[in-house]
Amino acid sequence: GSCLNLLRVDHASTTSQSMLSRVSRRSLGFISTRAMSTASLPDLKYDYSALQPTISAQIMELHHSKHHATYVNNYNATLEAYAAAEAKGDTAKMIALQGAIKFNGGGHVNHSIFWENLSPNGGGEPSGELGKAIEAKWGSFENFKKTFNAKTAAVQGSGWGWLGYNAESGSIDI
């Protein structure tokens, strides 16, 4: 409410800085660097060549050692910049950095899950409980793939999406 309006109008003034120090940053939606830690590139549980011919070793190495590493490096650098801004009480800079924290942190988390879900012994149409749940909800694995691709195509980061279990609804969801 009013604190946010005050911060937007004169965020650099001494008055707004002292008011902010009396207001919980958490209640205003600020991320505290005290609750965050740096990220590191996870080791893969398989060789880069293990998924050939479906995914080439060159693509796996590039995607892991360069692409995912870039998310990790950018996330860590942004955390450092955020901590510096937080130490200075630079609210405008903290707000400006939140998008980069979310994007790069999300890219790191998505890729970390992605590597865990890949397997040299995997692939194909799901069977068992997962296969039955997909068929019950979408009618077929083909329909699930079409729906999944349609829902995730516009997601920032080239269409990341996950099939997960929604405990509240008791069903799987995209």
Side-chain angles (χ1 to χ4, degrees):
S2 61
C3 286
L4 289 176
N5 289 334
L6 173 65
L7 292 172
R8 187 174 57 236
V9 173
D10 64 349
H11 61 81
S13 75
T14 308
T15 305
S16 65
Q17 293 299 322
S18 63
M19 286 183 78
L20 182 59
S21 67
R22 287 180 280 172
V23 176
S24 165
R25 290 179 187 269
R26 186 172 190 81
S27 70
L28 294 175
F30 290 102
I31 302 168
S32 172
T33 54
R34 290 180 289 260
M36 294 183 279
S37 62
T38 58
S40 59
L41 187 66
D43 292 331
L44 298 184
K45 295 180 180 179
Y46 42 84
D47 292 333
Y48 290 137
S49 62
L51 303 175
Q52 294 185 129
T54 305
I55 304 174
S56 74
Q58 182 182 13
I59 292 295
M60 287 295 293
E61 183 174 7
L62 178 69
H63 201 91
H64 180 256
S65 68
K66 302 286 190 243
H67 183 70
H68 185 172
T70 299
Y71 281 115
V72 170
N73 294 336
N74 288 343
Y75 176 74
N76 290 335
T78 305
L79 284 184
E80 287 180 27
Y82 190 95
E86 185 178 34
K88 292 177 186 173
D90 188 346
T91 306
K93 182 73 171 175
M94 291 166 62
I95 291 168
L97 290 168
Q98 287 186 11
I101 290 171
K102 290 176 188 175
F103 179 75
N104 290 295
H108 167 57
V109 169
N110 283 339
H111 280 84
S112 295
I113 294 170
F114 177 70
W115 304 128
E116 288 293 317
N117 286 329
L118 294 177
S119 168
N121 304 315
E125 194 167 323
S127 59
E129 286 186 52
L130 179 57
K132 289 176 187 174
I134 288 172
E135 190 167 318
K137 182 145 187 172
W138 288 284
S140 70
F141 185 60
E142 250 341 282
N143 285 340
F144 158 71
K145 289 191 300 183
K146 287 177 188 172
T147 304
F148 185 89
N149 289 334
K151 285 188 169 190
T152 61
V155 175
Q156 184 179 12
S158 302
W160 279 101
W162 300 105
L163 173 64
Y165 180 76
N166 182 330
E168 190 174 299
S169 69
S171 69
I172 55 176
D173 286 320
I174 297 171

mmCIF file of all heavy atoms in Angstrom, residues 92-110:
data_model
loop_
_atom_site.group_PDB
_atom_site.id
_atom_site.type_symbol
_atom_site.label_atom_id
_atom_site.label_comp_id
_atom_site.label_asym_id
_atom_site.label_seq_id
_atom_site.Cartn_x
_atom_site.Cartn_y
_atom_site.Cartn_z
ATOM 1 N N ALA A 92 15.662 0.066 -4.870
ATOM 2 C CA ALA A 92 15.396 0.045 -6.315
ATOM 3 C C ALA A 92 16.251 -1.029 -6.992
ATOM 4 O O ALA A 92 15.766 -1.760 -7.863
ATOM 5 C CB ALA A 92 15.675 1.412 -6.926
ATOM 6 N N LYS A 93 17.515 -1.141 -6.616
ATOM 7 C CA LYS A 93 18.399 -2.155 -7.200
ATOM 8 C C LYS A 93 17.934 -3.553 -6.802
ATOM 9 O O LYS A 93 17.948 -4.479 -7.616
ATOM 10 C CB LYS A 93 19.848 -1.907 -6.736
ATOM 11 C CG LYS A 93 20.847 -2.853 -7.318
ATOM 12 C CD LYS A 93 21.098 -2.559 -8.777
ATOM 13 C CE LYS A 93 22.261 -3.371 -9.290
ATOM 14 N NZ LYS A 93 22.461 -3.201 -10.720
ATOM 15 N N MET A 94 17.512 -3.725 -5.555
ATOM 16 C CA MET A 94 17.021 -5.025 -5.090
ATOM 17 C C MET A 94 15.824 -5.472 -5.920
ATOM 18 O O MET A 94 15.746 -6.623 -6.351
ATOM 19 C CB MET A 94 16.663 -4.958 -3.604
ATOM 20 C CG MET A 94 17.868 -4.789 -2.695
ATOM 21 S SD MET A 94 17.424 -4.320 -1.003
ATOM 22 C CE MET A 94 16.455 -5.728 -0.504
ATOM 23 N N ILE A 95 14.925 -4.555 -6.159
ATOM 24 C CA ILE A 95 13.741 -4.865 -6.960
ATOM 25 C C ILE A 95 14.149 -5.200 -8.388
ATOM 26 O O ILE A 95 13.663 -6.168 -8.977
ATOM 27 C CB ILE A 95 12.728 -3.701 -6.926
ATOM 28 C CG1 ILE A 95 12.122 -3.577 -5.520
ATOM 29 C CG2 ILE A 95 11.630 -3.886 -7.972
ATOM 30 C CD1 ILE A 95 11.329 -2.311 -5.282
ATOM 31 N N ALA A 96 15.069 -4.431 -8.939
ATOM 32 C CA ALA A 96 15.514 -4.649 -10.310
ATOM 33 C C ALA A 96 16.186 -6.014 -10.490
ATOM 34 O O ALA A 96 16.101 -6.606 -11.562
ATOM 35 C CB ALA A 96 16.470 -3.535 -10.732
ATOM 36 N N LEU A 97 16.846 -6.521 -9.461
ATOM 37 C CA LEU A 97 17.567 -7.795 -9.555
ATOM 38 C C LEU A 97 16.685 -9.021 -9.347
ATOM 39 O O LEU A 97 17.093 -10.135 -9.684
ATOM 40 C CB LEU A 97 18.716 -7.815 -8.538
ATOM 41 C CG LEU A 97 19.877 -6.876 -8.843
ATOM 42 C CD1 LEU A 97 20.806 -6.760 -7.634
ATOM 43 C CD2 LEU A 97 20.633 -7.349 -10.074
ATOM 44 N N GLN A 98 15.499 -8.855 -8.820
ATOM 45 C CA GLN A 98 14.660 -10.015 -8.514
ATOM 46 C C GLN A 98 14.302 -10.837 -9.740
ATOM 47 O O GLN A 98 14.258 -12.058 -9.679
ATOM 48 C CB GLN A 98 13.408 -9.584 -7.741
ATOM 49 C CG GLN A 98 13.749 -9.213 -6.319
ATOM 50 C CD GLN A 98 12.528 -8.915 -5.480
ATOM 51 O OE1 GLN A 98 11.393 -9.170 -5.883
ATOM 52 N NE2 GLN A 98 12.748 -8.370 -4.307
ATOM 53 N N GLY A 99 14.075 -10.207 -10.869
ATOM 54 C CA GLY A 99 13.763 -10.951 -12.093
ATOM 55 C C GLY A 99 14.913 -11.854 -12.514
ATOM 56 O O GLY A 99 14.706 -13.002 -12.913
ATOM 57 N N ALA A 100 16.145 -11.348 -12.413
ATOM 58 C CA ALA A 100 17.317 -12.146 -12.785
ATOM 59 C C ALA A 100 17.530 -13.300 -11.814
ATOM 60 O O ALA A 100 17.947 -14.394 -12.213
ATOM 61 C CB ALA A 100 18.561 -11.262 -12.847
ATOM 62 N N ILE A 101 17.232 -13.069 -10.549
ATOM 63 C CA ILE A 101 17.344 -14.151 -9.560
ATOM 64 C C ILE A 101 16.345 -15.247 -9.896
ATOM 65 O O ILE A 101 16.691 -16.433 -9.936
ATOM 66 C CB ILE A 101 17.128 -13.622 -8.124
ATOM 67 C CG1 ILE A 101 18.311 -12.750 -7.703
ATOM 68 C CG2 ILE A 101 16.924 -14.781 -7.138
ATOM 69 C CD1 ILE A 101 18.108 -12.007 -6.401
ATOM 70 N N LYS A 102 15.114 -14.859 -10.175
ATOM 71 C CA LYS A 102 14.080 -15.849 -10.504
ATOM 72 C C LYS A 102 14.401 -16.581 -11.805
ATOM 73 O O LYS A 102 14.278 -17.799 -11.885
ATOM 74 C CB LYS A 102 12.712 -15.166 -10.616
ATOM 75 C CG LYS A 102 12.172 -14.680 -9.299
ATOM 76 C CD LYS A 102 10.870 -13.923 -9.503
ATOM 77 C CE LYS A 102 10.406 -13.264 -8.229
ATOM 78 N NZ LYS A 102 9.221 -12.441 -8.456
ATOM 79 N N PHE A 103 14.810 -15.845 -12.841
ATOM 80 C CA PHE A 103 15.078 -16.461 -14.136
ATOM 81 C C PHE A 103 16.263 -17.415 -14.060
ATOM 82 O O PHE A 103 16.172 -18.572 -14.486
ATOM 83 C CB PHE A 103 15.320 -15.383 -15.196
ATOM 84 C CG PHE A 103 15.618 -15.958 -16.553
ATOM 85 C CD1 PHE A 103 14.610 -16.497 -17.325
ATOM 86 C CD2 PHE A 103 16.913 -15.965 -17.055
ATOM 87 C CE1 PHE A 103 14.873 -17.041 -18.580
ATOM 88 C CE2 PHE A 103 17.189 -16.506 -18.305
ATOM 89 C CZ PHE A 103 16.166 -17.043 -19.066
ATOM 90 N N ASN A 104 17.386 -16.950 -13.538
ATOM 91 C CA ASN A 104 18.580 -17.793 -13.487
ATOM 92 C C ASN A 104 18.473 -18.890 -12.437
ATOM 93 O O ASN A 104 18.904 -20.020 -12.675
ATOM 94 C CB ASN A 104 19.823 -16.932 -13.259
ATOM 95 C CG ASN A 104 20.132 -16.097 -14.475
ATOM 96 O OD1 ASN A 104 20.459 -16.611 -15.526
ATOM 97 N ND2 ASN A 104 19.987 -14.786 -14.354
ATOM 98 N N GLY A 105 17.868 -18.588 -11.297
ATOM 99 C CA GLY A 105 17.635 -19.624 -10.291
ATOM 100 C C GLY A 105 16.675 -20.680 -10.813
ATOM 101 O O GLY A 105 16.890 -21.881 -10.637
ATOM 102 N N GLY A 106 15.628 -20.241 -11.513
ATOM 103 C CA GLY A 106 14.676 -21.177 -12.108
ATOM 104 C C GLY A 106 15.314 -22.017 -13.196
ATOM 105 O O GLY A 106 15.071 -23.219 -13.310
ATOM 106 N N GLY A 107 16.180 -21.397 -14.010
ATOM 107 C CA GLY A 107 16.901 -22.140 -15.042
ATOM 108 C C GLY A 107 17.790 -23.213 -14.434
ATOM 109 O O GLY A 107 17.875 -24.336 -14.946
ATOM 110 N N HIS A 108 18.431 -22.881 -13.324
ATOM 111 C CA HIS A 108 19.277 -23.862 -12.634
ATOM 112 C C HIS A 108 18.433 -25.011 -12.071
ATOM 113 O O HIS A 108 18.756 -26.184 -12.267
ATOM 114 C CB HIS A 108 20.065 -23.178 -11.512
ATOM 115 C CG HIS A 108 20.716 -24.121 -10.570
ATOM 116 N ND1 HIS A 108 21.609 -25.098 -10.976
ATOM 117 C CD2 HIS A 108 20.589 -24.274 -9.230
ATOM 118 C CE1 HIS A 108 22.012 -25.795 -9.927
ATOM 119 N NE2 HIS A 108 21.397 -25.312 -8.862
ATOM 120 N N VAL A 109 17.350 -24.694 -11.400
ATOM 121 C CA VAL A 109 16.491 -25.736 -10.818
ATOM 122 C C VAL A 109 15.903 -26.613 -11.922
ATOM 123 O O VAL A 109 15.923 -27.850 -11.826
ATOM 124 C CB VAL A 109 15.368 -25.107 -9.953
ATOM 125 C CG1 VAL A 109 14.324 -26.140 -9.571
ATOM 126 C CG2 VAL A 109 15.966 -24.465 -8.707
ATOM 127 N N ASN A 110 15.370 -25.995 -12.987
ATOM 128 C CA ASN A 110 14.793 -26.771 -14.088
ATOM 129 C C ASN A 110 15.812 -27.730 -14.695
ATOM 130 O O ASN A 110 15.500 -28.898 -14.950
ATOM 131 C CB ASN A 110 14.254 -25.841 -15.175
ATOM 132 C CG ASN A 110 12.934 -25.220 -14.807
ATOM 133 O OD1 ASN A 110 12.213 -25.712 -13.960
ATOM 134 N ND2 ASN A 110 12.616 -24.113 -15.444
#
